[in-house]
Amino acid sequence: MTFEQPTPLPGAPSLRVGVIGAGRVGAVLGAALRKAGHDVVAVSGVSEASRERAEALLPGVPVQQPAGVAAAADLVLLTVPDDELAALVHGLGFPGTLGPRIVVHTSGAQGIGVLAPVVEAGGVPLAIHPAMTFSGTAVDLTRLAGCPFAVTAMPDHRMVADALVLDMGGEPFTVDEADRTQYHAALAHGSNHLLTLVAQAAELLRRIDVDDPGRLLRPLLEAALDNALERGDKALTGPVARGDAGTLTRHLDMLDALAHTGVALDIPPTYRALALATAQRSSARGALTPMQIDAVLTALEGRGGPPGQGGVGPEPPTP
């Protein structure tokens, strides 16, 4: 998977754009296309928050039902939750009432297979996913500059996809249809679960009267992220990497005691699961001795390996 340097289509025409789903992503991408010179002709939004977002980012654009949005547009942008996408595509009238359209969805986990009715209608199906977290505000328009967009498209449609990504300020790269789920799982695991971890760490600090947890966590987490991206598992520090089973035991005793009082209930199982995964990766690269691994696993689970696995991975080389 590599980043391309596509050339914008010379003299590409302005498109009539319809946005179905004025969530955090849809309203921002619609605004980006509008800024690039395309005509956003209609938007749909169910919730009050969506309608307010549309008014803020796409002022003057009429709010309509999804079928009306699709009928009015040359380019239909589908920015609904993943599990709603297939039903929406079929419900819009492809390939029956709606003729050829450029139809773009922004689901990271799905490719163009879900847009099969668009192909039957003679349209152009595109899967374009911005690898970015959205706030749903105008700030995101600046963040789109240089943002990687995962593109899945038929070979004949790739130039269209690249042109749209460039119009939004992004940088397109190709993800094969069969790889979309793995691509999206990687991003969700890295970004969404990172947010959970940071929130949990901040909660523990606030419970010992640290008024500004971010002041403590920011330099540590930024350095950890940089090191992880540059060096991978080799950058690991902390009690698991050192085989400090006693420290792990004290951590878990404290976390379990908190949970028994009815607070921070989600933190002990998260800590155990990630410490076990860390032990597996440390074992696989030979960073811990067998004695250290056994001690760590005993601290985490009270026995010599994860459930049903009998260990954490390949035995490290004998010193």
Side-chain angles (χ1 to χ4, degrees):
M1 184 184 300
T2 57
F3 286 89
E4 295 88 2
Q5 294 296 327
T7 303
L9 292 176
S14 173
L15 296 170
R16 294 177 300 160
V17 178
V19 181
I20 298 179
R24 296 182 182 182
V25 177
V28 170
L29 296 187
L33 289 169
R34 194 184 206 185
K35 184 178 178 182
H38 298 288
D39 182 16
V40 180
V41 295
V43 62
S44 74
V46 177
S47 68
E48 185 63 29
S50 292
R51 292 172 180 267
E52 291 176 357
R53 195 177 293 113
E55 177 59 31
L57 290 169
L58 298 168
V61 176
V63 178
Q64 300 181 11
Q65 293 298 313
V69 174
D74 306 311
L75 166 63
V76 184
L77 186 62
L78 308 179
T79 55
V80 298
D82 290 0
D83 289 349
E84 298 176 14
L85 183 56
L88 174 62
V89 172
H90 285 278
L92 287 175
F94 297 106
T97 58
L98 286 177
R101 298 282 194 285
I102 300 172
V103 181
V104 178
H105 77 68
T106 58
S107 167
Q110 301 187 67
I112 58 175
V114 71
L115 299 177
V118 175
V119 179
E120 294 177 42
V124 176
L126 304 174
I128 296 177
H129 177 257
M132 188 180 89
T133 297
F134 285 76
S135 67
T137 67
V139 173
D140 294 337
L141 292 172
T142 302
R143 293 174 178 166
L144 282 176
C147 172
F149 278 68
V151 172
T152 302
M154 297 178 182
D156 290 347
H157 302 154
R158 182 56 202 255
M159 287 187 68
V160 177
D162 286 349
L164 291 173
V165 171
L166 291 170
D167 280 349
M168 290 184 280
E171 296 182 5
F173 68 100
T174 300
V175 175
D176 291 339
E177 180 84 8
D179 295 334
R180 293 285 293 201
T181 299
Q182 184 167 327
Y183 153 78
H184 192 247
L187 268 59
H189 187 42
S191 63
N192 302 152
H193 298 165
L194 175 63
L195 293 178
T196 300
L197 285 175
V198 174
Q200 289 180 343
E203 179 181 353
L204 291 175
L205 290 172
R206 279 191 290 268
R207 290 190 178 280
I208 58 171
D209 297 325
V210 176
D211 294 333
D212 184 8
R215 185 168 179 268
L216 273 67
L217 291 173
R218 185 182 300 277
L220 176 67
L221 297 180
E222 287 179 346
L225 178 59
D226 287 343
N227 288 338
L229 291 175
E230 289 176 10
R231 302 179 58 218
D233 291 335
K234 294 180 181 179
L236 184 65
T237 63
V240 172
R242 294 189 296 266
D244 287 341
T247 297
L248 292 173
T249 299
R250 285 189 289 275
H251 286 180
L252 288 167
D253 286 346
M254 176 275 300
L255 293 173
D256 289 339
L258 268 182
H260 287 150
T261 69
V263 300
L265 297 176
D266 59 316
I267 299 180
T270 303
Y271 188 105
R272 281 185 169 88
L274 288 174
L276 279 170
T278 302
Q280 287 179 311
R281 300 186 75 89
S282 296
S283 173
R285 57 180 292 265
L288 297 175
T289 68
M291 184 177 297
Q292 288 175 316
I293 293 169
D294 286 344
V296 166
L297 293 175
T298 298
L300 293 174
E301 287 204 331
R303 56 189 179 82
Q309 294 186 21
V312 296
E315 288 289 335
T318 302

PDB file of all heavy atoms in Angstrom, residues 138-166:
ATOM      1  N   ALA A 138     -15.928  23.565  11.544  1.00  0.00           N
ATOM      2  CA  ALA A 138     -15.103  24.152  10.490  1.00  0.00           C
ATOM      3  C   ALA A 138     -13.623  23.883  10.689  1.00  0.00           C
ATOM      4  O   ALA A 138     -12.836  23.954   9.740  1.00  0.00           O
ATOM      5  CB  ALA A 138     -15.365  25.654  10.415  1.00  0.00           C
ATOM      6  N   VAL A 139     -13.217  23.546  11.927  1.00  0.00           N
ATOM      7  CA  VAL A 139     -11.816  23.225  12.192  1.00  0.00           C
ATOM      8  C   VAL A 139     -11.360  22.056  11.330  1.00  0.00           C
ATOM      9  O   VAL A 139     -10.204  21.989  10.885  1.00  0.00           O
ATOM     10  CB  VAL A 139     -11.618  22.898  13.689  1.00  0.00           C
ATOM     11  CG1 VAL A 139     -10.205  22.396  13.962  1.00  0.00           C
ATOM     12  CG2 VAL A 139     -11.913  24.129  14.541  1.00  0.00           C
ATOM     13  N   ASP A 140     -12.270  21.128  11.071  1.00  0.00           N
ATOM     14  CA  ASP A 140     -11.912  19.941  10.287  1.00  0.00           C
ATOM     15  C   ASP A 140     -11.508  20.283   8.861  1.00  0.00           C
ATOM     16  O   ASP A 140     -10.751  19.531   8.234  1.00  0.00           O
ATOM     17  CB  ASP A 140     -13.086  18.963  10.246  1.00  0.00           C
ATOM     18  CG  ASP A 140     -13.399  18.375  11.606  1.00  0.00           C
ATOM     19  OD1 ASP A 140     -12.502  18.349  12.467  1.00  0.00           O
ATOM     20  OD2 ASP A 140     -14.551  17.950  11.820  1.00  0.00           O
ATOM     21  N   LEU A 141     -12.003  21.377   8.321  1.00  0.00           N
ATOM     22  CA  LEU A 141     -11.655  21.754   6.950  1.00  0.00           C
ATOM     23  C   LEU A 141     -10.159  22.008   6.822  1.00  0.00           C
ATOM     24  O   LEU A 141      -9.540  21.665   5.815  1.00  0.00           O
ATOM     25  CB  LEU A 141     -12.451  22.986   6.524  1.00  0.00           C
ATOM     26  CG  LEU A 141     -13.962  22.761   6.360  1.00  0.00           C
ATOM     27  CD1 LEU A 141     -14.675  24.092   6.141  1.00  0.00           C
ATOM     28  CD2 LEU A 141     -14.232  21.813   5.205  1.00  0.00           C
ATOM     29  N   THR A 142      -9.571  22.592   7.856  1.00  0.00           N
ATOM     30  CA  THR A 142      -8.127  22.811   7.852  1.00  0.00           C
ATOM     31  C   THR A 142      -7.385  21.490   8.009  1.00  0.00           C
ATOM     32  O   THR A 142      -6.357  21.252   7.364  1.00  0.00           O
ATOM     33  CB  THR A 142      -7.740  23.761   8.997  1.00  0.00           C
ATOM     34  OG1 THR A 142      -8.439  25.002   8.838  1.00  0.00           O
ATOM     35  CG2 THR A 142      -6.245  24.022   9.010  1.00  0.00           C
ATOM     36  N   ARG A 143      -7.920  20.605   8.844  1.00  0.00           N
ATOM     37  CA  ARG A 143      -7.262  19.322   9.099  1.00  0.00           C
ATOM     38  C   ARG A 143      -7.280  18.413   7.877  1.00  0.00           C
ATOM     39  O   ARG A 143      -6.483  17.480   7.786  1.00  0.00           O
ATOM     40  CB  ARG A 143      -7.939  18.620  10.274  1.00  0.00           C
ATOM     41  CG  ARG A 143      -7.743  19.337  11.605  1.00  0.00           C
ATOM     42  CD  ARG A 143      -8.557  18.668  12.693  1.00  0.00           C
ATOM     43  NE  ARG A 143      -8.351  19.304  13.995  1.00  0.00           N
ATOM     44  CZ  ARG A 143      -9.114  19.106  15.055  1.00  0.00           C
ATOM     45  NH1 ARG A 143     -10.161  18.286  14.956  1.00  0.00           N
ATOM     46  NH2 ARG A 143      -8.870  19.714  16.199  1.00  0.00           N
ATOM     47  N   LEU A 144      -8.195  18.648   6.956  1.00  0.00           N
ATOM     48  CA  LEU A 144      -8.260  17.815   5.756  1.00  0.00           C
ATOM     49  C   LEU A 144      -7.040  17.995   4.853  1.00  0.00           C
ATOM     50  O   LEU A 144      -6.748  17.126   4.031  1.00  0.00           O
ATOM     51  CB  LEU A 144      -9.525  18.136   4.948  1.00  0.00           C
ATOM     52  CG  LEU A 144     -10.838  17.538   5.448  1.00  0.00           C
ATOM     53  CD1 LEU A 144     -11.994  18.026   4.594  1.00  0.00           C
ATOM     54  CD2 LEU A 144     -10.780  16.008   5.447  1.00  0.00           C
ATOM     55  N   ALA A 145      -6.349  19.112   4.995  1.00  0.00           N
ATOM     56  CA  ALA A 145      -5.175  19.360   4.144  1.00  0.00           C
ATOM     57  C   ALA A 145      -4.125  18.273   4.370  1.00  0.00           C
ATOM     58  O   ALA A 145      -3.585  18.127   5.462  1.00  0.00           O
ATOM     59  CB  ALA A 145      -4.585  20.734   4.447  1.00  0.00           C
ATOM     60  N   GLY A 146      -3.875  17.487   3.327  1.00  0.00           N
ATOM     61  CA  GLY A 146      -2.896  16.419   3.432  1.00  0.00           C
ATOM     62  C   GLY A 146      -3.395  15.159   4.102  1.00  0.00           C
ATOM     63  O   GLY A 146      -2.618  14.218   4.315  1.00  0.00           O
ATOM     64  N   CYS A 147      -4.677  15.111   4.458  1.00  0.00           N
ATOM     65  CA  CYS A 147      -5.227  13.931   5.122  1.00  0.00           C
ATOM     66  C   CYS A 147      -5.208  12.727   4.171  1.00  0.00           C
ATOM     67  O   CYS A 147      -5.646  12.829   3.025  1.00  0.00           O
ATOM     68  CB  CYS A 147      -6.663  14.220   5.569  1.00  0.00           C
ATOM     69  SG  CYS A 147      -7.556  12.776   6.203  1.00  0.00           S
ATOM     70  N   PRO A 148      -4.734  11.569   4.622  1.00  0.00           N
ATOM     71  CA  PRO A 148      -4.789  10.376   3.763  1.00  0.00           C
ATOM     72  C   PRO A 148      -6.231   9.899   3.581  1.00  0.00           C
ATOM     73  O   PRO A 148      -6.996   9.833   4.549  1.00  0.00           O
ATOM     74  CB  PRO A 148      -3.965   9.332   4.534  1.00  0.00           C
ATOM     75  CG  PRO A 148      -3.202  10.102   5.569  1.00  0.00           C
ATOM     76  CD  PRO A 148      -4.040  11.292   5.895  1.00  0.00           C
ATOM     77  N   PHE A 149      -6.616   9.575   2.361  1.00  0.00           N
ATOM     78  CA  PHE A 149      -7.931   9.022   2.055  1.00  0.00           C
ATOM     79  C   PHE A 149      -7.736   7.633   1.448  1.00  0.00           C
ATOM     80  O   PHE A 149      -7.064   7.499   0.420  1.00  0.00           O
ATOM     81  CB  PHE A 149      -8.669   9.890   1.038  1.00  0.00           C
ATOM     82  CG  PHE A 149      -9.383  11.092   1.604  1.00  0.00           C
ATOM     83  CD1 PHE A 149      -8.667  12.158   2.130  1.00  0.00           C
ATOM     84  CD2 PHE A 149     -10.763  11.176   1.583  1.00  0.00           C
ATOM     85  CE1 PHE A 149      -9.312  13.275   2.629  1.00  0.00           C
ATOM     86  CE2 PHE A 149     -11.429  12.288   2.068  1.00  0.00           C
ATOM     87  CZ  PHE A 149     -10.709  13.341   2.602  1.00  0.00           C
ATOM     88  N   ALA A 150      -8.333   6.633   2.056  1.00  0.00           N
ATOM     89  CA  ALA A 150      -8.277   5.279   1.507  1.00  0.00           C
ATOM     90  C   ALA A 150      -9.311   5.156   0.395  1.00  0.00           C
ATOM     91  O   ALA A 150     -10.505   5.341   0.622  1.00  0.00           O
ATOM     92  CB  ALA A 150      -8.560   4.256   2.593  1.00  0.00           C
ATOM     93  N   VAL A 151      -8.845   4.842  -0.804  1.00  0.00           N
ATOM     94  CA  VAL A 151      -9.711   4.792  -1.980  1.00  0.00           C
ATOM     95  C   VAL A 151      -9.810   3.356  -2.484  1.00  0.00           C
ATOM     96  O   VAL A 151      -8.798   2.683  -2.682  1.00  0.00           O
ATOM     97  CB  VAL A 151      -9.159   5.696  -3.102  1.00  0.00           C
ATOM     98  CG1 VAL A 151      -9.940   5.487  -4.398  1.00  0.00           C
ATOM     99  CG2 VAL A 151      -9.208   7.156  -2.671  1.00  0.00           C
ATOM    100  N   THR A 152     -11.052   2.907  -2.698  1.00  0.00           N
ATOM    101  CA  THR A 152     -11.310   1.650  -3.396  1.00  0.00           C
ATOM    102  C   THR A 152     -12.219   1.977  -4.570  1.00  0.00           C
ATOM    103  O   THR A 152     -13.296   2.556  -4.383  1.00  0.00           O
ATOM    104  CB  THR A 152     -11.981   0.619  -2.478  1.00  0.00           C
ATOM    105  OG1 THR A 152     -11.152   0.388  -1.334  1.00  0.00           O
ATOM    106  CG2 THR A 152     -12.197  -0.699  -3.210  1.00  0.00           C
ATOM    107  N   ALA A 153     -11.765   1.640  -5.773  1.00  0.00           N
ATOM    108  CA  ALA A 153     -12.514   1.983  -6.981  1.00  0.00           C
ATOM    109  C   ALA A 153     -12.125   1.038  -8.102  1.00  0.00           C
ATOM    110  O   ALA A 153     -11.054   0.416  -8.074  1.00  0.00           O
ATOM    111  CB  ALA A 153     -12.225   3.426  -7.397  1.00  0.00           C
ATOM    112  N   MET A 154     -12.998   0.931  -9.095  1.00  0.00           N
ATOM    113  CA  MET A 154     -12.638   0.204 -10.308  1.00  0.00           C
ATOM    114  C   MET A 154     -11.541   0.978 -11.032  1.00  0.00           C
ATOM    115  O   MET A 154     -11.468   2.215 -10.924  1.00  0.00           O
ATOM    116  CB  MET A 154     -13.864   0.062 -11.203  1.00  0.00           C
ATOM    117  CG  MET A 154     -14.987  -0.756 -10.594  1.00  0.00           C
ATOM    118  SD  MET A 154     -16.418  -0.832 -11.711  1.00  0.00           S
ATOM    119  CE  MET A 154     -17.572  -1.783 -10.700  1.00  0.00           C
ATOM    120  N   PRO A 155     -10.667   0.274 -11.761  1.00  0.00           N
ATOM    121  CA  PRO A 155      -9.557   0.963 -12.435  1.00  0.00           C
ATOM    122  C   PRO A 155     -10.000   2.143 -13.295  1.00  0.00           C
ATOM    123  O   PRO A 155      -9.344   3.198 -13.293  1.00  0.00           O
ATOM    124  CB  PRO A 155      -8.925  -0.145 -13.289  1.00  0.00           C
ATOM    125  CG  PRO A 155      -9.231  -1.403 -12.546  1.00  0.00           C
ATOM    126  CD  PRO A 155     -10.590  -1.194 -11.957  1.00  0.00           C
ATOM    127  N   ASP A 156     -11.112   1.998 -14.008  1.00  0.00           N
ATOM    128  CA  ASP A 156     -11.579   3.078 -14.881  1.00  0.00           C
ATOM    129  C   ASP A 156     -12.085   4.290 -14.104  1.00  0.00           C
ATOM    130  O   ASP A 156     -12.245   5.370 -14.691  1.00  0.00           O
ATOM    131  CB  ASP A 156     -12.700   2.573 -15.798  1.00  0.00           C
ATOM    132  CG  ASP A 156     -12.202   1.595 -16.852  1.00  0.00           C
ATOM    133  OD1 ASP A 156     -10.970   1.503 -17.027  1.00  0.00           O
ATOM    134  OD2 ASP A 156     -13.037   0.929 -17.490  1.00  0.00           O
ATOM    135  N   HIS A 157     -12.342   4.112 -12.834  1.00  0.00           N
ATOM    136  CA  HIS A 157     -12.913   5.193 -12.027  1.00  0.00           C
ATOM    137  C   HIS A 157     -11.891   5.826 -11.088  1.00  0.00           C
ATOM    138  O   HIS A 157     -12.235   6.753 -10.352  1.00  0.00           O
ATOM    139  CB  HIS A 157     -14.092   4.665 -11.191  1.00  0.00           C
ATOM    140  CG  HIS A 157     -15.193   4.061 -12.001  1.00  0.00           C
ATOM    141  ND1 HIS A 157     -16.048   3.106 -11.496  1.00  0.00           N
ATOM    142  CD2 HIS A 157     -15.581   4.289 -13.288  1.00  0.00           C
ATOM    143  CE1 HIS A 157     -16.921   2.755 -12.431  1.00  0.00           C
ATOM    144  NE2 HIS A 157     -16.657   3.463 -13.529  1.00  0.00           N
ATOM    145  N   ARG A 158     -10.676   5.340 -11.131  1.00  0.00           N
ATOM    146  CA  ARG A 158      -9.693   5.799 -10.157  1.00  0.00           C
ATOM    147  C   ARG A 158      -9.387   7.292 -10.294  1.00  0.00           C
ATOM    148  O   ARG A 158      -9.213   8.007  -9.305  1.00  0.00           O
ATOM    149  CB  ARG A 158      -8.407   4.976 -10.307  1.00  0.00           C
ATOM    150  CG  ARG A 158      -7.313   5.328  -9.299  1.00  0.00           C
ATOM    151  CD  ARG A 158      -7.827   5.211  -7.868  1.00  0.00           C
ATOM    152  NE  ARG A 158      -7.029   5.983  -6.962  1.00  0.00           N
ATOM    153  CZ  ARG A 158      -6.149   5.455  -6.109  1.00  0.00           C
ATOM    154  NH1 ARG A 158      -5.978   4.164  -6.069  1.00  0.00           N
ATOM    155  NH2 ARG A 158      -5.468   6.241  -5.318  1.00  0.00           N
ATOM    156  N   MET A 159      -9.330   7.801 -11.516  1.00  0.00           N
ATOM    157  CA  MET A 159      -9.042   9.223 -11.707  1.00  0.00           C
ATOM    158  C   MET A 159     -10.141  10.093 -11.113  1.00  0.00           C
ATOM    159  O   MET A 159      -9.870  11.169 -10.568  1.00  0.00           O
ATOM    160  CB  MET A 159      -8.856   9.531 -13.195  1.00  0.00           C
ATOM    161  CG  MET A 159      -7.553   9.019 -13.782  1.00  0.00           C
ATOM    162  SD  MET A 159      -7.304   9.581 -15.491  1.00  0.00           S
ATOM    163  CE  MET A 159      -7.064  11.335 -15.230  1.00  0.00           C
ATOM    164  N   VAL A 160     -11.378   9.626 -11.200  1.00  0.00           N
ATOM    165  CA  VAL A 160     -12.486  10.376 -10.601  1.00  0.00           C
ATOM    166  C   VAL A 160     -12.320  10.429  -9.091  1.00  0.00           C
ATOM    167  O   VAL A 160     -12.464  11.479  -8.461  1.00  0.00           O
ATOM    168  CB  VAL A 160     -13.837   9.739 -10.975  1.00  0.00           C
ATOM    169  CG1 VAL A 160     -14.989  10.469 -10.290  1.00  0.00           C
ATOM    170  CG2 VAL A 160     -14.034   9.744 -12.485  1.00  0.00           C
ATOM    171  N   ALA A 161     -12.014   9.276  -8.492  1.00  0.00           N
ATOM    172  CA  ALA A 161     -11.823   9.219  -7.040  1.00  0.00           C
ATOM    173  C   ALA A 161     -10.680  10.122  -6.596  1.00  0.00           C
ATOM    174  O   ALA A 161     -10.807  10.884  -5.630  1.00  0.00           O
ATOM    175  CB  ALA A 161     -11.559   7.780  -6.610  1.00  0.00           C
ATOM    176  N   ASP A 162      -9.555  10.044  -7.304  1.00  0.00           N
ATOM    177  CA  ASP A 162      -8.410  10.878  -6.948  1.00  0.00           C
ATOM    178  C   ASP A 162      -8.747  12.360  -7.045  1.00  0.00           C
ATOM    179  O   ASP A 162      -8.351  13.164  -6.190  1.00  0.00           O
ATOM    180  CB  ASP A 162      -7.234  10.571  -7.871  1.00  0.00           C
ATOM    181  CG  ASP A 162      -6.567   9.236  -7.555  1.00  0.00           C
ATOM    182  OD1 ASP A 162      -6.876   8.664  -6.501  1.00  0.00           O
ATOM    183  OD2 ASP A 162      -5.734   8.783  -8.367  1.00  0.00           O
ATOM    184  N   ALA A 163      -9.471  12.729  -8.090  1.00  0.00           N
ATOM    185  CA  ALA A 163      -9.823  14.138  -8.275  1.00  0.00           C
ATOM    186  C   ALA A 163     -10.688  14.634  -7.122  1.00  0.00           C
ATOM    187  O   ALA A 163     -10.495  15.754  -6.628  1.00  0.00           O
ATOM    188  CB  ALA A 163     -10.545  14.327  -9.606  1.00  0.00           C
ATOM    189  N   LEU A 164     -11.636  13.814  -6.678  1.00  0.00           N
ATOM    190  CA  LEU A 164     -12.498  14.218  -5.564  1.00  0.00           C
ATOM    191  C   LEU A 164     -11.697  14.368  -4.273  1.00  0.00           C
ATOM    192  O   LEU A 164     -11.903  15.322  -3.507  1.00  0.00           O
ATOM    193  CB  LEU A 164     -13.626  13.206  -5.375  1.00  0.00           C
ATOM    194  CG  LEU A 164     -14.681  13.178  -6.479  1.00  0.00           C
ATOM    195  CD1 LEU A 164     -15.650  12.016  -6.253  1.00  0.00           C
ATOM    196  CD2 LEU A 164     -15.448  14.502  -6.534  1.00  0.00           C
ATOM    197  N   VAL A 165     -10.797  13.433  -4.022  1.00  0.00           N
ATOM    198  CA  VAL A 165      -9.965  13.524  -2.815  1.00  0.00           C
ATOM    199  C   VAL A 165      -9.103  14.773  -2.859  1.00  0.00           C
ATOM    200  O   VAL A 165      -8.980  15.513  -1.867  1.00  0.00           O
ATOM    201  CB  VAL A 165      -9.097  12.265  -2.660  1.00  0.00           C
ATOM    202  CG1 VAL A 165      -8.080  12.445  -1.529  1.00  0.00           C
ATOM    203  CG2 VAL A 165      -9.971  11.042  -2.386  1.00  0.00           C
ATOM    204  N   LEU A 166      -8.506  15.038  -4.004  1.00  0.00           N
ATOM    205  CA  LEU A 166      -7.684  16.246  -4.135  1.00  0.00           C
ATOM    206  C   LEU A 166      -8.526  17.500  -3.944  1.00  0.00           C
ATOM    207  O   LEU A 166      -8.066  18.483  -3.329  1.00  0.00           O
ATOM    208  CB  LEU A 166      -6.998  16.263  -5.499  1.00  0.00           C
ATOM    209  CG  LEU A 166      -5.913  15.201  -5.716  1.00  0.00           C
ATOM    210  CD1 LEU A 166      -5.498  15.165  -7.177  1.00  0.00           C
ATOM    211  CD2 LEU A 166      -4.710  15.471  -4.824  1.00  0.00           C
TER     212      LEU A 166
END
